[in-house]
Amino acid sequence: MENSLAFARRLDQADPLRSYRDRFYIPERAGKPLIYFCGNSLGLQPKSARQALDRELVIWQQHGVEGWFEGESPWLTVHQRCKQPLAQIVGAQPSEVCPMNNLTVNMHLLLTSFYQPGAGRTKILTIGGDFPSDQYALETHLQTRGLNPADALLEIFPRTSEYTWRTEDILTAIEEHRDSLALVLMSGLHYYTGQVFDMAAIAQKARELGIPVGFDLAHAVGNVPLKLHDWGVDFAFWCSYKYLNSGPGGVSGIFVHEKHHDASLPRLAGWWGYDETRRFDMTKGFVPMTGADGWQLSTPTVLAVAVHHAALQITAEAGLEALRQKSELLTGFLEFVLRQSGQPMDIMTPASPAGRGCQLSLLIENDGKAVFNRLTEQGIIGDWREPNCIRLAPTPLYNTFEEVWRVGQVFQSS
Ligand SMILES: *Cc1c(COP(=O)(O)O)cnc(C)c1O
């Protein structure tokens, strides 16, 4: 690699995905496009979102309630539009995925189904320092079951003076606590460090020992290739407003492995999960739809799902393999220009491309906030975490190698 504008431009020229940038609105300041490295927080707006939204608004305007049943794709089956692209993105069968609710809601719903303490097995193994919402969900979910989180949660931390987890430590912990574990549930990609976990190995270990395993894929979906079905993951959930670009608060999604489609799992149900052929009979006694659809509770948020669908099509069309290839190069180039910049920093994110997604988390040694402010002044949108962490996430759909080089230049002059 070379730390030069010419080199960055050559990489852009050779990038087979370069046309995808044009499918998004890039925010501007004073007429100049910002360098947006914040797709880990809120992905940019696909230009197709407005049209997708407008289409449903027109149906509502012209047909009112009939929109549920009329037209080419009635709202009644709006969730089905997303199944194919979602299945492709997370490595699932269409029956195993469904868009619904928001992430933390889905986490509680799936905990209800998959956390079945009993016969000495009561504990949930997770990683320490996971995203706060996940921590609060686990803590309070356990309390509603009459359990003390301090006893029932087994949190695995990185080793002293290491930022990230070693797969062997997670596998050993699962092995060691095999007789007391009722569930393994953790992020698939850590929001703070950018580490991607070896989900295949963790799922395999848990499965061998008969322990159900689930992943929060908020930072993994659309970022790294996933094979949830083949890995034998029992369940998963994610949000769509980060790397899936489905808009602020966009609809979440769930995965439930085919092996659990026999309707026997306990669940918190609502009418939208009821057997669709008989839903409007309004009869007593819950009969779930087959597959992930049977976890739906409520009338879908049609407008959000329409935008979600438009956004998913872009990611599915580009394909996770191609996106990942570019992503590794883009993030590798960012790491290279940062190291060349001379700015004293520690990169918390694993150095190996296999151990990370697109995000790099930088611990700035001196006045990190000043560095971050300089980035912002220069039109670079990253993300700041107290006390001294800058997270930068160049995304392969809409970021360029030239942008990465420009970010490096700002660090160089800091
Ligand atoms: C972004 C994120 C969330 C957010 O949850 P919402 O219910 O969508 O607000 C939760 N968990 C993780 C790991 C996240 O990265």
Side-chain angles (χ1 to χ4, degrees):
M1 288 198 184
E2 251 175 62
N3 191 5
S4 74
L5 179 58
F7 179 76
R9 287 187 170 156
R10 277 207 300 282
L11 290 178
D12 281 324
Q13 285 294 318
D15 169 16
L17 297 178
R18 67 183 178 279
S19 68
Y20 279 89
R21 178 175 169 87
D22 198 40
R23 313 263 288 260
F24 293 86
Y25 290 111
I26 311 296
E28 296 185 351
R29 192 197 291 153
K32 270 186 62 187
L34 294 171
I35 295 182
Y36 193 82
F37 277 16
C38 210
N40 57 321
S41 185
L42 178 67
L44 290 181
Q45 183 183 143
K47 290 179 179 169
S48 56
R50 187 175 306 248
Q51 200 186 357
L53 194 54
D54 212 48
R55 193 167 149 261
E56 307 308 329
L57 287 173
V58 168
I59 293 173
W60 180 22
Q61 176 183 332
Q62 298 182 344
H63 303 278
V65 71
E66 301 298 345
W68 285 106
F69 309 100
E70 282 183 356
E72 267 168 55
S73 55
W75 299 333
L76 201 61
T77 52
V78 71
H79 64 288
Q80 285 177 7
R81 295 182 205 168
C82 298
K83 280 177 170 279
Q84 196 61 51
L86 270 182
Q88 191 187 322
I89 291 164
V90 303
Q93 293 170 9
S95 64
E96 292 174 319
V97 293
C98 190
M100 64 178 82
N101 309 316
N102 284 80
L103 183 151
T104 309
V105 172
N106 286 334
M107 180 167 170
H108 278 294
L109 292 178
L110 292 166
L111 273 168
T112 299
S113 296
F114 286 94
Y115 176 55
Q116 298 300 328
R121 285 186 167 192
T122 55
K123 291 192 179 178
I124 301 178
L125 183 141
T126 191
I127 47 171
D130 212 339
F131 194 85
S133 199
D134 301 50
Q135 294 189 41
Y136 306 148
L138 281 173
E139 174 190 334
T140 57
H141 197 95
L142 286 164
Q143 286 164 349
T144 65
R145 305 280 192 107
L147 290 157
N148 180 355
D151 303 328
L153 270 185
L154 188 65
E155 295 183 309
I156 310 300
F157 288 89
R159 295 187 188 182
T160 316
S161 75
E162 293 184 11
Y163 295 124
T164 54
W165 289 257
R166 299 192 192 192
T167 305
E168 65 198 87
D169 290 353
I170 297 173
L171 300 184
T172 305
I174 297 174
E175 184 90 47
E176 245 170 50
H177 298 273
R178 57 197 294 168
D179 296 326
S180 61
L181 285 179
L183 182 66
V184 172
L185 175 56
M186 56 185 273
S187 279
L189 199 149
H190 192 242
Y191 80 102
Y192 187 62
T193 63
Q195 176 180 18
V196 62
F197 293 99
D198 190 341
M199 289 175 263
I202 293 166
Q204 189 186 348
K205 172 62 70 185
R207 236 181 32 242
E208 274 168 22
L209 303 173
I211 305 161
V213 57
F215 290 106
D216 179 337
L217 301 175
H219 280 260
V221 70
N223 182 4
V224 293
L226 300 165
K227 292 195 166 67
L228 298 182
H229 179 89
D230 291 349
W231 293 340
V233 172
D234 290 282
F235 68 99
F237 47 91
W238 52 85
C239 54
S240 66
Y241 47 82
K242 293 170 181 167
Y243 298 110
L244 293 179
N245 313 303
S246 299
V251 67
S252 165
I254 69 160
F255 164 89
V256 175
H257 198 280
E258 190 179 46
K259 64 192 168 196
H260 301 296
H261 287 195
D262 65 0
S264 62
L265 281 174
R267 69 188 83 189
L268 291 175
W271 74 320
W272 223 263
Y274 194 92
D275 174 7
E276 148 177 78
T277 61
R278 292 189 287 153
R279 183 184 300 142
F280 296 97
D281 293 355
M282 311 281 205
T283 46
K284 203 171 163 61
F286 181 71
V287 183
M289 285 213 267
T290 309
D293 295 7
W295 269 265
Q296 293 177 98
L297 285 182
S298 296
T299 311
T301 45
V302 174
L303 300 179
V305 177
V307 173
H308 185 38
H309 177 240
L312 283 176
Q313 282 178 306
I314 303 174
T315 298
E317 184 191 308
L320 254 300
E321 294 303 326
L323 284 168
R324 177 62 168 164
Q325 237 178 32
K326 175 176 173 185
S327 180
E328 286 186 10
L329 202 55
L330 202 60
T331 298
F333 188 46
L334 177 61
E335 185 178 16
F336 174 75
V337 298
L338 288 174
R339 294 221 183 274
Q340 292 251 309
S341 73
Q343 172 75 46
M345 69 171 82
D346 236 357
I347 301 182
M348 276 189 277
T349 313
S352 125
R356 67 190 183 196
C358 68
Q359 168 190 319
L360 293 183
S361 307
L362 323 175
L363 287 183
I364 308 294
E365 277 173 28
N366 303 323
D367 189 355
K369 196 62 203 268
V371 177
F372 184 74
N373 289 341
R374 190 191 309 254
L375 289 171
T376 310
E377 282 159 24
Q378 298 293 316
I380 295 158
I381 309 298
D383 161 301
W384 171 256
R385 291 246 162 199
E386 295 291 343
N388 59 347
C389 175
I390 297 175
R391 293 184 301 170
L392 297 174
T395 64
L397 271 175
Y398 49 76
N399 287 124
T400 66
F401 292 92
E402 180 170 337
E403 288 178 308
V404 168
W405 178 78
R406 292 195 182 284
V407 169
Q409 291 300 106
V410 175
F411 275 89
Q412 206 149 332
S413 58
S414 290

